[in-house]
Amino acid sequence: MSSDLNPADLFREEARDLLGEFEEALIGLEAEPGRQDLVDAAFRALHTIKGSGAMFEFTELSGFAHDLESAFVVFRDARIPIGQEAIDLGLRGKDLLGEFIGRLGTTPDEAQQAALTERAQAVVRELQTLVGTEADAGGSSPEAERVLIGDGRSTASVRRSLRISFRPSRNTFKNGTNPLGLLQELADLGELMTVGYSEDIPSLDEITPDLCYLRWDVLITTEADDQEITDVFMFIDGESTLEILPVASGEYRRLGDILVDRGSLSEEKLETLMARRPPLGEMLVQEGVVSEAELRSALEEQRLLAESSEEVRAGRGDTAFIKVPTSRLDRLVNLVGEFVSLQGQLSLSADRLHDRELMSHTEQFERLVRESRELSMEMHMVPVDTLFAPFRRMVRDVARELGKRVQLTIEGTETELDKNMVESLRDPLMHIIRNAIDHGIESEERRREADKPPRGSLHLSASYSGAFVVIRVDDDGGGLDAARIRRRAIERGLIDPEVELGREQIYELLFEPGFSTAEKASRISGRGVGMDVVRRNVEHLNGFVQVSSEEGMGTTVEIRIPLTLAIVEGLLTEIGDAFYLINIAYIRECLDRVPEATQGGRGIIDYRGTVVPLLDLAEVFGVGRSPADAPVVVVIAGDTTVALRLTRIHGNYQSVVKPLGPMFDGVEGISGAVFLPDGTPALMLDIERLVRRTVRSGYRRGGST
Amino acid sequence: MPRAKNDPDTKTISIRGDLTIDRVSEIRDEMRSALPAKDLTLDLSQLEKIDLAGLQLLYSLERSVLAEEGTMRVNGDSARDRLIRMVSFTGLRTPTFLESPREQ
């Protein structure tokens, strides 16, 4: 069970989040350079990456994070505004950190690794130069200078904590050794928590004032290696005692254990005292077992340990969350899915047997299964922000590359989506956004000519709509040129020149394989991937993508996807003598005995006063014609309502839908399959495509596929 | 030069110049001659350098004063600030003469 949870994975996961935060802070600073909270956020993210990286002994990664952090410390402390150059370097640094992280746990290709190190060092050097000049220009603080001086080496060793017990000899002052200087040298190497002991200092009558009665415990958190630490104490005399011990990191330690370890307290004594209860610290001092200073020092160590383990827990000490590998979650969702299928079969059997006891058990079982299904699905949901966040950077980079100015706004980031969907939506969305910047939003001059603000705006949003999540990309660019799209479609032989098409029908052509409106394919969006690939990807998720546009005003691309992939609640129906399932999310109403009319040679019905196209699915699937009294299901996809005539309706059925595999990719109207209790397959109707096909029918040459 | 005023209860010890390793023995003797004191003021307004040996001596003085159940405070804001910084940097216990009176 423990096989899939290793620290490297845990760190990778966390570091990716942190890199995201870092990037976001930088992008934010680009817009508002003066925002100290963003500088702090950038700094914090780097700091945590460095800390946990060191803890897992990813030395090079941690060292690089350290160097980036050092530069940001200067910005932070000297309050130098972070300029464009620094942000670019920061972003490059972020990308490199991402590469470092990507390589963890893989066998390193030495040449590649060396190249990566070289690039990392280049960024650090540029950043240091930049920081140096800006710090000079802006008047740096002394602390800032110290950071720079300390950064001669580009990769530091592992950051860890050490406990240094230093008891100078009595003759220390006379020998010319100044413990204050030693402490200062240590402070230059890392962060200190110093506890000095003054208890041994005698009264005026007894003191020999030039002898040293002081001693210290120092906890240092540092990247310096052991040699650098011991070098500090190079000149202490032979009578002084020095002990340097590593402090175990990342774990909580009982105060008593720390004191026993340090020799301040014996184990037996601790046991006796623990028998009487708290608070241990006060008790020990009262008993005279340890001095107050010893207690303070141990408490400092305890605090340090607590802090370092908190840093591991994403720095927020939020124990309300645990990290679970997605593979486990997937397994759970699959298991629950199987439960749901089994439960469906059980219900059917109970119905058939008319056993009342069995039926009542089945009902309870159904309720529990439903609850666990919902719960397991919830666990699999992530906020859509995980999908959106990287686009901030992408929009910025693409816009810059094209010499355009684009303002990205994001809305509805808290909307939740199945985690697997997030992965599958990334590429399609990236393509849509690239398109919007490349072909949608006009150049600054063109925008001025059109009396638009010089900066284009791009709006990315997510919202719920029934059992679907709607993701929209709106731009305020030039809009789609319907005439040009039409011309291109005729050139490509996609439509007959004579056929009149509505605007929406013309936009649909964009999704035809091989269609590309860009007169010249640019490097940004012309990667041989068209909107057809976008549509195919979205349809793999049982989703749907649609374009609307107003010439001169902008374009909207809308993606609608079901909330979850795995389990579908459907209506079990029969067409001919085969079983089909319709996702309940699409169903508006089931009708009996509907009078059918025809209009322009196609079937229609009057549905609540509006004319709705009627599709006889038996005809569509080539199994004859349904009788006129066969039931009709009214479905709605997007804004289009269509009536489907079926042979028979059986009732609700929920099940895990299995994909059909690539062999069936070209089959229009089917999106998956389920197995009924007796092993009979039922096909999942692809309502989106059926509806679209209905809308489109009549203008396509050569009939249906 | 340290100088102690001779008043049976309230006494002031002034330390001028350095309170460093080469002078601690001499200053210790001056301090001793000022004790016992119920209410001791340490005037550090003319203090120049102080090192760890000097600071150690102040702890020793405090120990003697407290042993006689006396109290002790420091005059001289800049010296006081310096002592507070030094105590905090060396991680030593904050002596009673540096505790803020408001905290009492």
Side-chain angles (χ1 to χ4, degrees):
Chain A
M1 282 304 278
S2 61
S3 59
D4 44 5
L5 195 80
N6 75 57
D9 288 342
L10 213 65
F11 171 71
R12 245 199 304 271
E13 183 76 10
E14 179 184 310
R16 287 230 170 81
D17 291 350
L18 289 164
L19 280 183
E21 285 170 26
F22 179 54
E23 182 177 270
E24 224 169 283
L26 288 177
I27 303 276
L29 278 167
E30 195 169 37
E32 300 169 81
R35 271 185 57 188
Q36 202 60 28
D37 59 324
L38 292 176
V39 180
D40 289 343
F43 173 78
R44 242 187 345 260
L46 284 175
H47 186 76
T48 313
I49 293 173
K50 173 178 87 169
S52 4
M55 195 163 285
F56 290 115
E57 302 195 344
F58 299 137
T59 319
E60 203 174 359
L61 167 86
S62 163
F64 181 44
H66 165 80
D67 291 334
L68 290 177
E69 182 196 351
S70 300
F72 276 89
V73 168
V74 179
F75 283 119
R76 189 187 63 171
D77 293 348
R79 303 204 164 242
I80 306 169
I82 298 190
Q84 191 60 53
E85 251 180 293
I87 284 171
D88 288 343
L89 283 168
L91 288 173
R92 265 168 65 194
K94 181 253 158 186
D95 293 343
L96 289 167
L97 276 174
E99 283 190 47
F100 273 115
I101 291 163
R103 274 170 207 220
L104 297 178
T106 62
T107 331
D109 174 326
E110 274 180 32
Q112 281 181 3
Q113 191 68 29
L116 181 59
T117 307
E118 181 48 47
R119 278 153 65 210
Q121 281 169 354
V123 167
V124 169
R125 274 194 304 273
E126 281 184 57
L127 207 49
Q128 281 174 352
T129 318
L130 180 70
V131 165
T133 46
E134 294 207 0
D136 286 346
S140 72
S141 69
E143 191 181 353
E145 255 168 31
R146 189 166 58 78
V147 173
L148 277 179
I149 294 160
D151 262 346
R153 66 217 145 83
S154 67
T155 44
S157 55
V158 183
R159 184 175 173 87
R160 74 253 195 260
S161 298
L162 300 167
R163 173 153 51 83
I164 302 171
S165 293
F166 175 46
R167 188 189 282 270
S169 74
R170 285 280 189 260
N171 288 320
T172 290
F173 294 148
K174 287 199 273 187
N175 293 342
T177 308
N178 178 9
L180 211 52
L182 301 181
L183 289 175
Q184 186 56 59
E185 280 181 55
L186 284 180
D188 290 342
L189 292 177
E191 289 156 34
L192 299 192
M193 274 182 289
T194 309
V195 176
Y197 297 85
S198 59
E199 287 89 349
D200 296 344
I201 304 173
S203 67
L204 280 183
D205 293 335
E206 290 148 25
I207 195 172
T208 310
D210 52 4
L211 296 185
C212 177
Y213 299 91
L214 299 163
R215 63 186 177 90
W216 283 271
D217 276 340
V218 179
L219 283 164
I220 181 169
T221 304
T222 178
E223 281 105 25
D225 57 34
D226 292 353
Q227 190 62 48
E228 286 175 87
I229 304 278
T230 44
D231 279 356
V232 169
F233 298 96
M234 194 184 283
F235 297 112
I236 61 172
D237 57 42
E239 304 288 301
S240 301
T241 59
L242 175 71
E243 193 182 51
I244 303 177
L245 288 172
V247 175
S249 59
E251 61 186 68
Y252 176 80
R253 299 196 63 207
R254 290 193 314 167
L255 180 58
D257 294 338
I258 297 173
L259 285 165
V260 168
D261 258 18
R262 292 162 163 240
S264 306
L265 173 70
S266 78
E267 202 143 356
E268 301 79 63
K269 190 78 191 168
L270 173 67
E271 293 301 317
T272 337
L273 286 170
M274 283 302 283
R276 305 178 239 157
R277 280 300 287 179
L280 178 62
E282 269 172 45
M283 227 157 55
L284 290 171
V285 175
Q286 270 169 22
E287 295 280 326
V289 183
V290 296
S291 75
E292 221 178 303
E294 279 172 323
L295 176 66
R296 264 191 305 136
S297 168
L299 281 171
E300 283 291 2
E301 180 168 333
Q302 192 181 36
R303 196 173 61 81
L304 175 75
L305 289 174
E307 266 178 16
S308 72
S309 54
E310 247 171 57
E311 272 184 37
V312 177
R313 288 193 302 265
R316 260 154 239 121
D318 200 342
T319 48
F321 294 95
I322 54 163
K323 287 200 178 202
V324 177
T326 30
S327 58
R328 276 189 207 172
L329 219 50
D330 289 341
R331 250 156 52 205
L332 178 68
V333 172
N334 280 338
L335 271 178
V336 172
E338 297 298 333
F339 261 128
V340 171
S341 296
L342 189 65
Q343 187 269 322
Q345 299 172 12
L346 204 60
S347 299
L348 286 180
S349 311
D351 273 353
R352 208 176 310 140
L353 292 170
H354 292 295
D355 182 327
R356 285 190 54 191
E357 201 179 318
L358 182 62
M359 275 159 89
S360 110
H361 288 326
T362 314
E363 259 166 45
Q364 284 179 38
F365 186 54
E366 187 178 343
R367 188 175 48 77
L368 292 176
V369 166
R370 189 183 296 272
E371 271 177 40
S372 20
R373 186 191 75 166
E374 277 162 17
L375 191 65
S376 72
M377 272 171 7
E378 272 170 35
M379 286 203 267
H380 220 247
M381 303 294 250
V382 292
V384 80
D385 194 40
T386 53
L387 174 65
F388 284 178
F391 292 130
R392 292 194 180 100
R393 167 80 180 277
M394 196 198 87
V395 167
R396 167 194 181 275
D397 288 355
V398 172
R400 271 178 132 215
E401 197 166 327
L402 293 167
K404 294 180 181 177
R405 282 170 64 202
V406 179
Q407 161 93 10
L408 175 72
T409 47
I410 293 184
E411 193 188 332
T413 50
E414 69 293 339
T415 312
E416 291 193 328
L417 258 186
D418 192 297
K419 183 165 167 60
N420 294 332
M421 300 239 193
V422 166
E423 302 303 324
S424 317
L425 279 172
R426 190 158 288 141
D427 285 347
L429 259 182
M430 197 183 288
H431 184 79
I432 292 167
I433 292 174
R434 282 201 166 113
N435 258 336
I437 304 173
D438 195 3
H439 308 310
I441 291 172
E442 316 91 324
S443 66
E444 238 171 275
E445 308 84 76
R446 286 269 297 277
R447 291 184 66 88
R448 273 189 229 278
E449 282 163 24
D451 264 344
K452 287 180 174 182
R455 186 156 71 165
S457 74
L458 195 63
H459 188 67
L460 189 56
S461 68
S463 58
Y464 294 109
S465 165
F468 295 88
V469 170
V470 178
I471 294 175
R472 284 167 58 118
V473 181
D474 294 273
D475 69 58
D476 71 342
L480 296 172
D481 184 343
R484 201 165 81 193
I485 296 171
R486 190 167 188 280
R487 267 204 313 278
R488 170 64 60 101
I490 295 169
E491 275 167 37
R492 297 272 159 122
L494 293 168
I495 51 167
D496 270 332
E498 300 85 48
V499 175
E500 280 303 311
L501 290 178
R503 194 172 266 279
E504 278 195 16
Q505 290 169 323
I506 292 179
Y507 296 157
E508 276 293 302
L509 295 168
L510 291 174
F511 296 105
E512 291 297 319
F515 190 97
S516 167
T517 50
E519 314 252 280
K520 54 176 182 6
S522 71
R523 199 166 71 77
I524 304 291
S525 48
R527 286 167 198 242
V529 197
M531 290 297 275
D532 58 319
V533 177
V534 169
R535 170 162 279 175
R536 204 164 58 232
N537 286 349
V538 172
E539 279 174 355
H540 270 296
L541 304 173
N542 295 327
F544 179 63
V545 56
Q546 201 174 17
V547 175
S548 56
S549 177
E550 205 172 326
E551 245 171 282
M553 301 300 287
T555 307
T556 299
V557 181
E558 189 180 294
I559 295 178
R560 279 183 316 119
I561 32 171
L563 274 174
T564 181
L565 280 174
I567 305 155
V568 166
E569 190 145 15
L571 185 69
L572 187 62
T573 64
E574 238 174 283
I575 300 165
D577 50 7
F579 289 97
Y580 291 86
L581 211 57
I582 302 175
N583 189 336
I584 266 181
Y586 292 104
I587 297 179
R588 195 78 181 271
E589 201 170 351
C590 297
L591 306 169
D592 250 344
R593 303 183 185 284
V594 193
E596 182 181 344
T598 52
Q599 194 179 63
R602 292 197 297 272
I604 53 154
I605 63 162
D606 176 3
Y607 177 63
R608 295 170 189 261
T610 44
V611 173
V612 169
L614 176 74
L615 217 56
D616 182 356
L617 290 181
E619 217 175 334
V620 172
F621 293 128
V623 289
R625 271 187 70 94
S626 302
D629 60 349
V632 165
V633 175
V634 180
V635 294
I636 180 160
D639 337 313
T640 314
T641 308
V642 171
L644 305 172
R645 195 182 285 287
L646 312 148
T647 314
R648 217 162 287 126
I649 292 177
H650 286 278
N652 284 10
Y653 191 83
Q654 39 169 296
S655 180
V656 185
V657 177
K658 313 272 183 202
L660 283 171
M663 226 177 108
F664 294 87
D665 255 5
V667 181
E668 204 163 89
I670 304 296
S671 63
V674 302
F675 287 94
L676 300 179
D678 59 358
T680 319
L683 296 173
M684 190 79 203
L685 285 179
D686 184 348
I687 300 298
E688 296 276 5
R689 281 220 248 183
L690 282 170
V691 168
R692 212 165 58 238
R693 176 199 155 102
T694 314
V695 171
R696 213 170 41 187
S697 64
Y699 65 83
R700 257 191 95 97
R701 279 200 309 202
S704 63
T705 39
Chain B
M1 273 287 127
R3 200 181 47 184
K5 286 182 190 155
N6 280 324
D7 185 326
D9 279 338
T10 51
K11 285 182 183 159
T12 298
I13 300 175
S14 299
I15 298 172
R16 292 182 184 180
D18 298 347
L19 177 54
T20 48
I21 176 73
D22 46 337
R23 291 191 62 211
V24 282
S25 295
E26 162 202 345
I27 294 172
R28 196 272 304 248
D29 295 340
E30 298 286 343
M31 285 174 167
R32 268 178 86 183
S33 63
L35 295 187
K38 277 268 159 280
D39 184 1
L40 181 70
T41 302
L42 193 60
D43 181 4
L44 298 179
S45 54
Q46 321 262 340
L47 179 76
E48 278 165 24
K49 273 189 351 213
I50 178 164
D51 63 9
L52 264 184
L55 182 66
Q56 178 179 273
L57 186 63
L58 295 183
Y59 275 96
S60 176
L61 172 65
E62 183 203 30
R63 181 167 209 147
S64 301
V65 170
L66 295 181
E68 301 289 327
E69 293 180 336
T71 59
M72 176 177 163
R73 61 199 166 87
V74 166
N75 265 0
D77 282 347
S78 89
R80 194 188 151 83
D81 287 350
R82 246 155 79 202
L83 285 179
I84 288 172
R85 275 203 303 276
M86 202 166 166
V87 164
S88 132
F89 182 70
T90 52
L92 291 163
R93 167 183 66 80
T94 306
T96 54
F97 55 85
L98 289 180
E99 278 169 4
S100 153
R102 272 159 306 195
E103 275 173 10
Q104 300 294 20

